[in-house]
Amino acid sequence: MLALISGSTGTFLTYLAFVSALVALVAYWASIFAARGQRGWFRIGQAAFGVHALSVLGTIGTLFGLILTQQYQYHYVYSHSSNELPLGYSIACLWEGQEGSFLLWMSWHSILGVVLMIWGGTWRAGVLGTLASIQLLLTSMILGIYLDNRVVFVVFLLLLWVPLYAVLRQGAEIGAGWPRLARPAAAFLFLFLGVNLARAQTGFLSSDTLNWVFVLELLFTLGVMGFVAWAYGRGRIGFVPFAGTMLLGLLALAAFWQPVESWKIGSSPFLLLRQVRPNDPMFQLNPDYVPTNGNGLNSLLQNYWMVIHPPMLFLGFAATAIPFCFVVASLVERRYAEWVKAGATWTLFSVLVLGVGIIMGGYWAYETLNFGGYWNWDPVENASLVPWLTGVGSLHALLAFRRNRSQAHLTYVLVIATFILVLYSTFLTRSGVLGEASVHSFTDLGLSGQLLILLFVYLAGIVLLLIEHWNRLPQPPQKKDERIWTREFFLYLAAMVLAFCALEISVFTSLPVINKIIGTQYAPPANVPFFYYKWNVWFGIAIAVLSAVGQFFFWTRIEKEQLKRAISRPLLAAVLAALAVTIVLFVRRLTDAPAATFAFHESYVKGIEGAAEQGFFAQLLAILGNGLMMIADDLLLACALFTIFANTDIIIRLLRRSRKNLRHLGGSLAHIGFGLILLGALFSSGYQDVISVNLAPA
């Protein structure tokens, strides 16, 4: 009985978290648009977000309590826990499933939100209002309720009131009475929602009455869309309110004509086993049957990294939301430059934590999966790498924006893209679209449609907001003697290279999604690591060079001639060291001595040998292509050493100037670390040894 009360408490806390997030969202944004001196809305928002944070933490605490006390009558506990698991792995059971991973993500958002409630300053309303909208989205994924099709339709109508209100306020010149229609419109919408909820829950309305209600709802929707289109055509309102109204109106109509009778909203972790599997023979014989043991944790996941890697990774995901929230708040409040200092701090925190989480995952894979491999370009690995790349790119753009307000547009795009890519990675891993393409992906719980709609609506909303403010973003001051070769130029180049690298990985990772959307059958590459390496080795070379040369511009106002003298020493050292390493490896190969090779050296050789029987031109192309890749390996080696030596030189120069420059060494140390990562990626595959080969036909 006590366990059932605990489950009911968890369900109640989930609903409370959803409602309080909605209240916080409305109250915070209302406080921004309310008259000055009116603090009531802000206080409501603070209280609502506090309730939301406590509800989320209470929900995950309740679920953990059920796991710890081995309450196997609950489907989530039965599916992921067992009697034999020690405490550490019992903790890991909490986030093995989809529902638990969403709760972990929401918990980090709640903790970061409480930090912002205390130290957010004048940004609290806008930032926390945006964070509440993200929490509303995530909480909907664990509600576990079914809504009548007409209720979903009216919910979209309620959302339609937001752009409608903006249209009526913006188009006041249409007539003095138009803004006054906002309240009656809202009253009609809430009336429609109440009628549909009553019909769904009690069924007391007759079919004829419901038909008239549906007709009125359709006429209302079409009327709103027609009015907004007319106002936009007359030039009375802007593009963003028009586009937002049309988008939500079309979604409402699509929901109205959806053939399904009900929509599944989220998947609750507090469902009883007999609710999920009512037709099992054990429940046919005894409805109150409670298993004595559960399925337990997947054997591959019974590793200490499972206890620490997912929390770190999800903290990184959660932290990417904070710069995004600052961007949205700055656009809405038209404070385009004030957020940059706080945004840069949070961006640095997010890329550091996410980077540590990715490295943890690589080390876990090294121990568990690939016979010594740590990175296999798995779609889910890519889904965590791509936001990190754009996050690092946004950090470089933020530094340029902070110095002289340059690259404002690129900064906004990359910060937004980083968070949207986090949401997209959630869709990839939890929609089931990856199928068997990834060892990480979750099974589909029937939420792929909900995930896709939420992602699309959120992306469309932020894109429309950015379009509206695009021409108002700050521009750098124009100087008569402005030079191209500046620190800002190199920061821009670094951000762009990282962005294009992320784009390339995203496109090829999304092949299963592209196939599903447009009906194509693009096959994934046969040799996945080699395929991605052929593309990204060039991005690695470009980033290594920029991280070496750019540091000289970052700390000093240096001319071209001075630059040549400054980089000559580390460049010469890098070239000589690369030549020495290459010669040593070549000699050891000639003597058949065991030695590490470059990452895919054998693949290049096999590519040339495989074209020997395909004619002269095929062999020529194979030699040119694979020979170019062999040179790319050498270039990557030299450039990785160059960035290590150049940044070491910068550190020595800074410390010679003053010991106080110790606090400014972070960038150079990070670039040295990146150079070491490139060296590790270049050589690591040379140590791999295939211990088994499947000779059976497929």
Side-chain angles (χ1 to χ4, degrees), residues 85-200:
L85 291 178
L87 178 61
Y89 295 158
S90 294
I91 296 174
C93 292
L94 192 59
W95 43 76
E96 186 196 13
Q98 288 202 44
E99 301 91 336
S101 63
F102 277 119
L103 271 173
L104 177 63
W105 193 359
M106 292 161 54
S107 298
W108 282 127
H109 275 160
S110 300
I111 294 170
L112 296 177
V114 171
V115 172
L116 289 166
M117 287 176 66
I118 301 172
W119 290 292
T122 59
W123 290 100
R124 286 181 293 178
V127 171
L128 288 170
T130 308
L131 188 60
S133 71
I134 298 170
Q135 288 292 82
L136 189 70
L137 183 152
L138 294 178
T139 309
S140 71
M141 301 306 301
I142 60 168
L143 285 179
I145 60 176
Y146 288 85
L147 287 182
D148 183 88
N149 193 30
R150 308 303 183 185
V151 175
V152 176
F153 166 63
V154 180
V155 169
F156 278 118
L157 287 187
L158 285 174
L159 294 175
L160 184 63
W161 179 79
V162 178
L164 174 62
Y165 180 73
V167 166
L168 294 174
R169 290 292 300 271
Q170 185 177 345
E173 64 272 16
I174 298 174
W178 285 112
R180 299 175 187 173
L181 292 176
R183 290 182 180 177
F188 271 110
L189 291 172
F190 278 102
L191 177 62
F192 290 152
L193 179 63
V195 169
N196 283 279
L197 283 174
R199 179 254 182 185

Side-chain angles (χ1 to χ4, degrees), residues 54-90:
L54 291 174
S55 301
V56 170
L57 296 176
T59 303
I60 197 170
T62 302
L63 182 59
F64 179 61
L66 294 176
I67 292 173
L68 202 61
T69 55
Q70 300 172 348
Q71 303 298 325
Y72 298 122
Q73 63 267 43
Y74 289 93
H75 180 258
Y76 192 89
V77 180
Y78 174 80
S79 300
H80 303 290
S81 183
S82 67
N83 298 334
E84 295 77 21
L85 291 178
L87 178 61
Y89 295 158
S90 294

